[in-house]
Amino acid sequence: MRAKTDRMSLFAMPMGSGAHCAGWRHPLAGDSRLHSIGHYRAIAQIAERGKFDAMFLADAQGFRPIAGRDAYACVDAIRMDPVTVLSAVAMATSHLGLIATLSTSYNEPYSAARRLATLDHISEGRAGWNVVTSTTENEAHNFGREGHYGHGERYARAAEFVDVAKKLWDSWDDDAILADQDGGRYFDPDKVHGIAHQGTHFSVAGPLTMGRPPQGHPVIVQAGSSDAGLDLAAQTAEAVFTSHPALESAQAFYTDLKDRVAANGRPRDSLKILTAIQPVIADTAEEAEAITHELEALIPGDLAIALLQMQLGGMDLSGFDPNGPLPPVPANKASQGSQKRIIDHAARENLSILQIARHIAAGRTSKTASGTPQQVADILTDWFAASAADGFVIAAPVLPDMLARFVDGVVPILQARGLFRTDYEGTTLRDHLGLTRPASRHAGHPERHVEPEIWAEIGR
C-alpha cells in the first residue's frame, strides 16, 4: 500500500471526439471536425483548468486494418501530426504537459529528437514523447516496406532509437550558448558535441541544431506491455500508459513493472504508471448507466467485430459464431500485451465474440468508470490506494463534455482528499511528475569537450 502523502497524476487523452468509438455520434459530443486546432485547444484548456499533468496525443501514420465500409464509422482515423498540434496547443496553455506520440519504426532519431526538442523549447519545458513501435501493416506500406517489423526487431530498433535521441539532446551543454555580443561568440564550440553514433539500426553524426532542451530530455513515455515492451520501459521510460479492465490485473502489472525498474538499477518511483479510465459521469448512477447504454447502442455490430479483429492482429472471425466463445488466437505482429488482456478478460467473464467485441469497441481494454462524480472518485481512490496505478489517463468517452464533467466534478473530490494538486507547483512536465532533470552525459567530463572531428565535418 502506498504512503498517505502520495498524490496521483492525471493525463488527458483526447481520441477523436471521444475515446468511445461511437462518442462522436452521441448528442453530448462537440464539434467532430477534427482538423480544427480549436478542438484541441479547448480540450487542453479544460485539462489545464483541472490542473492535469499533461495532454497525451496518440498517433499512427496509417489506417487501422478495418475491412470495407466499417472503417468509415471510425472517427479516430483522423490523426494530424501530434508535434504540430501540440506546438499550437502550447500557445494556448501555460502549464499543461504536452506528450506527442512518435513511432521509432517509421521515423529517424535525428528528426524526432529535433522536433521534440523544438516542442520543449516552444513550451518552455512541457514536452513529452510517447515512444511507440507501431502495429499496422498500412503504416509499413506508407514507408516503403512490404510488411511491419517483427516484434523483436522493432523493440531492438526502439531501444537504439531512444539512446540516439538522448545523445542528441545532450549534444549541447546547458551553458553552451554564450550570446556574447561584445565578443562576437554566440556559443562555445567546445560545449557542442557530435555523437558519432554507429549502431545496428542507425548512423548519426550529430549534433542537434539547437541548444539543450529546457528539461534536459523531454519526458519519455511508453505504452508497450509485452515482455519486450516492459523491458524497454524499465530501461528508458519515465511514465507508462497502460489499460486494465480489472483491479487485479492492474496490480499485477504495476508490481511486475516496478520490479523490472528496480532490476535495472533505477529507483522504483523514477517511473510513473498511469492506467486508462473511461469516465461516464452524471448526476445519478442511473443517468450514467443510461448514457453508457446509449453509447453502446450507437456501435454498429459489424464495426465492433472488425475492431476486435484488428486488436487480434487481423484475425478473421467471420467463420465463427458471434455468439460463441473466442477461438484460440494465433501469434502475430500485433500488440501482445493488449491481446493477452482481451483473451484473459473474455475467458474470465465467459464472454462471446460479440460481447467481447462490444466491450473492446466501447472501452478498448481500459476501465470504464460509470456513475456520479463521487462514485468515479471512489474508483480512482481505491485503485490508487491499492497500488494499481500512480495515476490515470482520462480517456473521456465523449468530448469535451465528459472531460469537463470530470474536471468540475471528480477533481475537486480528489483535491479535498489530498490526492491531487490544487494548483501547479512548477512549470515543467518534470515538475508536475516529480521527476528529476537528467544531467548531460558530458557534465563533469571535460575530456569530452573537444571534438574537432565534428567541426571538421561541418567545415570549421
Side-chain angles (χ1 to χ4, degrees):
M1 303 294 285
R2 64 175 66 252
K4 291 183 179 180
T5 56
D6 288 351
R7 292 189 301 185
M8 65 179 64
S9 298
L10 292 176
F11 290 175
M13 185 172 70
M15 300 182 69
S17 290
H20 193 287
C21 75
W24 69 281
R25 300 182 64 195
H26 195 275
L28 292 172
D31 189 346
S32 58
R33 289 174 296 180
L34 302 179
H35 299 94
S36 167
I37 194 62
H39 171 76
Y40 297 96
R41 283 177 169 167
I43 290 167
Q45 288 169 342
I46 293 170
E48 188 163 80
R49 188 177 83 231
K51 312 304 178 186
F52 275 44
D53 298 72
M55 185 166 92
F56 178 108
L57 287 188
D59 189 42
Q61 298 176 97
F63 272 82
R64 301 186 299 170
I66 303 174
R69 297 183 63 83
D70 293 327
Y72 294 96
C74 295
V75 71
D76 67 351
I78 305 300
R79 297 177 186 269
M80 296 198 293
D81 176 70
V83 175
T84 306
V85 170
L86 290 174
S87 294
V89 168
M91 300 299 97
T93 54
S94 58
H95 287 77
L96 187 70
L98 307 166
I99 301 173
T101 298
L102 285 176
S103 170
T104 56
S105 297
Y106 303 112
N107 282 288
E108 288 293 319
Y110 192 91
S111 59
R114 187 169 180 258
R115 290 167 67 198
L116 290 160
T118 300
L119 178 61
D120 207 45
H121 280 289
I122 286 173
S123 65
E124 299 181 323
R126 294 187 279 140
W129 173 23
N130 177 37
V131 179
V132 299
T133 63
S134 299
T135 59
T136 67
E137 292 296 311
N138 182 238
E139 202 162 350
H141 300 162
N142 289 340
F143 286 84
R145 290 182 57 86
E146 293 185 2
H148 192 30
Y149 294 96
H151 190 266
E153 183 181 6
R154 70 176 186 254
Y155 275 101
R157 178 184 168 97
E160 185 177 340
F161 194 115
V162 174
D163 179 55
V164 175
K166 289 181 175 180
K167 288 178 180 177
L168 288 166
W169 292 328
D170 287 345
S171 62
W172 289 64
D173 289 359
D174 286 319
D175 58 350
I177 295 178
L178 305 173
D180 179 3
Q181 292 177 312
D182 294 335
R185 289 209 313 168
Y186 189 76
F187 66 89
D188 183 345
D190 288 339
K191 295 186 176 183
V192 181
H193 317 283
I195 69 171
H197 178 88
Q198 295 287 341
T200 302
H201 301 278
F202 305 107
S203 174
V204 182
L208 277 186
T209 57
M210 72 190 77
R212 195 162 189 249
Q215 295 184 104
H217 302 163
V219 173
I220 301 293
V221 183
Q222 212 257 332
S225 52
S226 66
D227 275 343
L230 293 174
D231 285 341
L232 178 64
Q235 295 161 16
T236 66
E238 295 166 299
V240 161
F241 159 60
T242 185
S243 59
H244 297 274
L247 174 64
E248 294 75 17
S249 66
Q251 286 175 309
F253 178 91
Y254 185 94
T255 300
D256 178 34
L257 183 50
K258 292 285 187 173
D259 287 346
R260 294 180 192 233
V261 169
N264 276 274
R266 299 174 55 192
R268 296 173 75 89
D269 62 357
S270 65
L271 182 146
K272 306 291 185 182
I273 299 175
L274 295 92
T275 193
I277 297 289
Q278 266 202 42
V280 178
I281 300 167
D283 292 337
T284 68
E286 291 74 21
E287 290 175 17
E289 185 176 4
I291 294 171
T292 300
H293 291 319
E294 288 171 4
L295 286 166
E296 289 177 357
L298 293 171
I299 305 172
D302 290 346
L303 173 63
I305 291 180
L307 288 168
L308 176 61
Q309 290 179 149
M310 181 205 70
Q311 293 279 5
L312 298 178
M315 180 180 180
D316 184 2
L317 295 171
S318 61
F320 299 92
D321 179 3
N323 296 310
L326 187 68
V329 179
N332 54 63
K333 295 180 181 179
S335 170
Q336 294 179 8
S338 293
Q339 284 190 26
K340 185 176 187 303
R341 286 195 291 272
I342 292 168
I343 295 166
D344 290 349
H345 185 63
R348 183 174 59 251
E349 302 295 332
N350 194 28
L351 301 178
S352 69
I353 290 174
L354 185 56
Q355 287 173 323
I356 190 64
R358 287 192 178 276
H359 175 81
I360 295 303
R364 295 176 172 86
T365 56
S366 60
K367 168 71 175 175
T368 300
S370 175
T372 65
Q374 180 79 34
Q375 289 171 322
V376 173
D378 288 346
I379 292 171
L380 270 59
T381 298
D382 291 345
W383 280 46
F384 183 70
S387 294
D390 294 314
F392 301 92
V393 176
I394 306 304
V398 181
L399 287 169
D401 182 88
M402 286 295 170
L403 180 61
R405 293 188 189 205
F406 184 92
V407 165
D408 296 332
V410 178
V411 168
I413 296 172
L414 298 174
Q415 290 171 331
R417 294 174 179 176
L419 295 175
F420 191 63
R421 68 173 66 86
T422 56
D423 202 355
Y424 291 108
E425 297 168 0
T427 60
T428 72
L429 180 53
R430 289 187 176 277
D431 290 337
H432 305 340
L433 294 171
L435 298 171
T436 59
R437 184 180 188 274
S440 168
R441 67 195 61 218
H442 300 286
H445 297 280
E447 72 279 2
R448 299 181 187 175
H449 282 199
V450 179
E451 296 177 359
E453 69 278 3
I454 189 61
W455 299 114
E457 178 179 337
I458 64 175
R460 184 187 182 199

